[in-house]
């Protein structure tokens, strides 16, 4: 089977290939192994990516197979968080986008790194845009 024209699931690696091919924007892949440390080990790299590029990060895993758009980081006394936007949201009407609805329905939320699966690996695609 071929990638072009398929309707198969794609992950962070394929997102990097598409960004590079169609937009001339290379993607840096961070692979996070399952187990202790996990996303905590790459949190500062993700945070630095947002500071230097402001560009969203695509995140996917194996056991945690739900694609995620990472749009921010936050570090507090209660933990480290990613701002997650679910890329599966589809606006179905011409009505103005209601941000409260997005949050209340779970389409946009801050997720503590401890709430991600420790048994899953994760791949994160960091688009290498030039500012």
């Amino acid at each position: 089977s071929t990638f072009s024209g398929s309707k198969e699931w794609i992950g962070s690696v394929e997102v990097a290939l598409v960004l590079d091919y169609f937009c001339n924007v290379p993607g840096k892949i961070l692979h996070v192994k399952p187990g202790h440390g996990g996303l905590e080990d790459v949190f500062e790299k993700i945070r630095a990516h947002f500071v230097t590029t402001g560009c969203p990060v695509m995140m996917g895993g194996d056991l945690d197979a739900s694609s995620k758009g990472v749009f921010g980081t936050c570090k507090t006394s209660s933990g480290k968080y990613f701002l997650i936007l679910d890329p599966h949201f589809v606006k179905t009407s011409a009505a103005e986008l209601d941000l409260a609805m997005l949050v209340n329905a779970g389409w946009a939320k801050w997720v503590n790194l401890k709430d991600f699966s420790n048994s899953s690996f994760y791949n994160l695609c960091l688009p290498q845009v030039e500012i």
Side-chain angles (χ1 to χ4, degrees):
S1 99
T2 64
F3 178 72
S4 177
S6 78
K7 296 187 188 296
E8 296 294 319
W9 174 87
I10 68 169
S12 299
V13 173
E14 292 83 6
V15 166
L17 293 171
V18 168
L19 284 173
D20 190 35
Y21 184 82
F22 289 107
C23 303
N24 201 30
V25 174
K28 178 179 181 179
I29 299 294
L30 293 182
H31 178 71
V32 177
K33 296 179 182 178
H36 183 70
L39 292 169
E40 293 267 347
D41 292 344
V42 298
F43 180 83
E44 291 303 327
K45 289 181 183 178
I46 302 296
R47 186 179 193 124
H49 172 77
F50 287 121
V51 169
T52 58
T53 71
C55 190
V57 171
M58 192 280 188
M59 177 177 170
D62 63 339
L63 299 178
D64 179 0
S66 174
S67 298
K68 298 161 188 60
V70 183
F71 282 75
T73 61
C74 180
K75 184 177 180 179
T76 70
S77 59
S78 63
K80 296 176 183 173
Y81 299 81
F82 284 157
L83 176 59
I84 301 294
L85 298 181
D86 189 328
H88 302 98
F89 173 77
V90 176
K91 186 177 175 187
T92 57
S93 73
E96 187 173 321
L97 193 59
D98 181 0
L99 298 180
M101 181 280 302
L102 291 174
V103 171
N104 292 335
W107 294 107
K109 59 187 170 187
W110 287 102
V111 179
N112 191 311
L113 297 189
K114 293 178 182 176
D115 292 335
F116 289 98
S117 173
N118 219 12
S119 302
S120 181
F121 77 73
Y122 290 98
N123 284 326
L124 296 100
C125 174
L126 288 66
Q128 302 298 292
V129 297
E130 294 183 20
I131 303 291

